[in-house]
């Protein structure tokens, strides 16, 4: 049985290359457009040092099952190489879209916490962390970021730096939405040694960043790829501050839908070990 859904297999005749992507750690990425639907996506080729297509695809399926919106992923061969297409999460938004690390371009943001009396107050986050961003987040975006942290914990995504999550910003310089997640290639879902797209087989193996016991996105303080926020502390914080949401997310890992999806991806037991570890920390 294939680990991908048939509708997620790339038809190379439907895609045309548009713009080379110069931001990111994966070489030879480029934006592609579907000739029929005009949808855009970022094609990420596989590499010898990190098997990321399976990780990206599996993380997307797991996240959406948990109610954590993620970019749709397509896998297969296009332009002579194997990899994945991560669909553009910005499509469908009319407001300005900025990644976390680009929020400084706005100049200042509406501080929801200080604007409770009806008079808008503007300033900037003191740090690029969850607690630093919290005063600037509407409730839905706040809960979306908590879901992200739980999700990253169980898939062991150490690569959630500031360019791997985005917000919608309106004309009043207020954050209005937290966009679906993307770029989960650093997630480690299982051990394996090969990836064979020619035969529609293979899975992603372990990558170096994914072995780190932490998150590049900190709950408080300063994080980053080279100084990850300790996973145990991250888990303790979200369980302490958002117990009801955590219970809801854990309950979704006990459903038959979650079992079916992760079994097809051959990582059910691994995911449940991670969830149980999260609970017991």
């Amino acid at each position: 049985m294939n680990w991908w859904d048939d509708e997620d297999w790339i038809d190379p005749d439907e895609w045309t290359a548009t713009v080379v992507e110069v931001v990111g750690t994966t070489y030879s990425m480029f934006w592609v457009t579907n000739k029929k639907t005009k949808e855009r996506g970022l094609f990420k080729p596989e590499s010898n040092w990190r098997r990321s297509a399976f990780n990206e695809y599996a993380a997307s399926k797991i996240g959406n099952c948990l109610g954590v919106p993620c970019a749709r992923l397509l896998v297969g061969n296009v332009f002579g190489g194997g990899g994945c297409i991560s669909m553009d999460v910005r499509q469908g938004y009319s407001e300005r879209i900025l990644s976390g690390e680009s929020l400084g371009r706005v100049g200042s943001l509406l501080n929801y916490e200080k604007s409770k009396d009806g008079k808008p107050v503007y300033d900037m986050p003191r740090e690029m962390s969850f607690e630093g961003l919290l005063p600037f987040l509407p409730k839905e975006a706040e809960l979306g970021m908590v879901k992200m942290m739980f999700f990253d914990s169980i898939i062991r995504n150490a690569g959630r730096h500031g360019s791997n999550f985005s917000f919608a910003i309106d004309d009043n310089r207020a954050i209005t939405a937290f966009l679906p997640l993307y770029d989960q290639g650093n997630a480690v879902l299982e051990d394996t040694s090969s990836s064979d797209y020619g035969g529609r087989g293979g899975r992603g193996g372990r990558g170096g960043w994914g072995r780190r016991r932490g998150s590049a996105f900190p709950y408080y303080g300063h994080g980053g790829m080279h100084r990850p926020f300790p996973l145990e502390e991250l888990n303790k914080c979200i369980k302490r501050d958002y117990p009801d949401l955590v219970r809801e997310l854990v309950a979704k890992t006990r459903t038959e839908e979650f079992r079916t999806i992760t079994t097809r991806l051959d990582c059910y037991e691994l995911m449940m070990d991670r969830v149980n570890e999260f609970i017991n920390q």
Side-chain angles (χ1 to χ4, degrees):
M1 181 175 65
N2 298 328
W3 50 263
W4 62 87
D5 296 328
D6 288 343
E7 61 268 24
D8 297 330
W9 185 255
I10 297 171
D11 181 348
D13 294 332
E14 292 185 356
W15 297 89
T16 182
T18 52
V19 181
V20 173
E21 178 59 72
V22 296
V23 177
T25 58
T26 301
Y27 293 108
S28 303
M29 296 189 298
F30 52 90
W31 288 92
V32 295
T33 300
N34 188 288
K35 298 175 185 176
K36 296 179 179 179
T37 65
K38 306 306 178 184
E39 293 177 290
R40 280 168 35 94
L42 181 63
F43 176 72
K44 300 181 178 183
E46 285 285 33
S47 63
N48 293 327
W49 65 276
R50 188 182 71 191
R51 307 295 183 182
S52 60
F54 173 79
N55 289 340
E56 292 260 14
Y57 183 83
S60 175
K61 290 295 184 182
I62 292 169
N64 285 313
C65 178
L66 293 174
V68 183
C70 293
R72 183 188 174 197
L73 264 291
L74 307 178
V75 294
N77 291 301
V78 66
F79 303 111
C84 63
I85 296 175
S86 179
M87 303 305 294
D88 191 351
V89 298
R90 298 169 297 182
Q91 290 190 300
Y93 287 89
S94 59
E95 296 171 316
R96 186 180 183 186
I97 304 299
L98 289 176
S99 65
E101 68 178 7
S102 299
L103 288 179
R105 297 178 184 176
V106 178
S108 60
L109 290 168
L110 179 70
N111 187 314
Y112 286 96
E113 191 175 273
K114 294 180 180 179
S115 302
K116 291 180 179 179
D117 60 357
K119 181 179 179 180
V121 176
Y122 293 87
D123 55 20
M124 288 299 294
R126 66 182 185 277
E127 61 190 22
M128 185 48 59
S129 68
F130 177 67
E131 288 191 348
L133 288 170
L134 191 55
F136 305 88
L137 300 175
K139 193 64 177 182
E140 186 174 353
E142 173 188 345
L143 298 180
M145 298 207 80
V146 176
K147 292 179 181 180
M148 175 189 76
M149 289 183 282
F150 172 84
F151 173 56
D152 283 345
S153 176
I154 68 168
I155 67 171
R156 294 294 192 271
N157 180 19
R160 187 72 67 190
H161 50 77
S163 65
N164 286 350
F165 57 88
S166 295
F167 301 97
I169 314 291
D170 68 12
D171 292 339
N172 294 318
R173 302 200 306 280
I175 293 175
T176 58
F178 183 54
L179 270 62
L181 300 175
Y182 51 91
D183 200 356
Q184 277 91 222
N186 280 314
V188 179
L189 297 175
E190 72 176 342
D191 283 314
T192 185
S193 60
S194 65
S195 179
D196 176 16
Y197 288 93
R200 288 195 176 193
R203 294 181 177 84
R206 287 188 182 272
W209 290 115
R211 293 177 180 174
R212 293 176 176 245
R213 291 281 303 179
S215 171
F217 180 70
Y219 199 87
Y220 56 81
H222 299 281
M225 295 285 277
H226 295 282
R227 49 181 177 183
F229 190 83
L231 196 60
E232 292 81 3
E233 179 68 9
L234 181 74
N235 294 344
K236 182 181 73 174
C237 289
I238 62 177
K239 287 191 292 185
R240 178 196 65 206
D241 296 339
Y242 297 89
D244 293 338
L245 180 56
V246 166
R247 281 192 290 269
E248 176 186 323
L249 291 166
V250 170
K252 289 182 179 180
T253 69
R254 311 300 194 197
T255 63
E256 188 59 32
E257 179 187 8
F258 187 83
R259 176 190 287 270
T260 299
I261 288 173
T262 52
T263 297
R264 182 168 187 175
L265 295 166
D266 199 18
C267 62
Y268 173 71
E269 292 184 0
L270 179 61
M271 288 297 100
M272 295 314 300
D273 286 345
R274 302 264 180 81
V275 171
N276 291 332
E277 183 179 347
F278 171 87
I279 293 170
N280 294 324
Q281 283 177 342

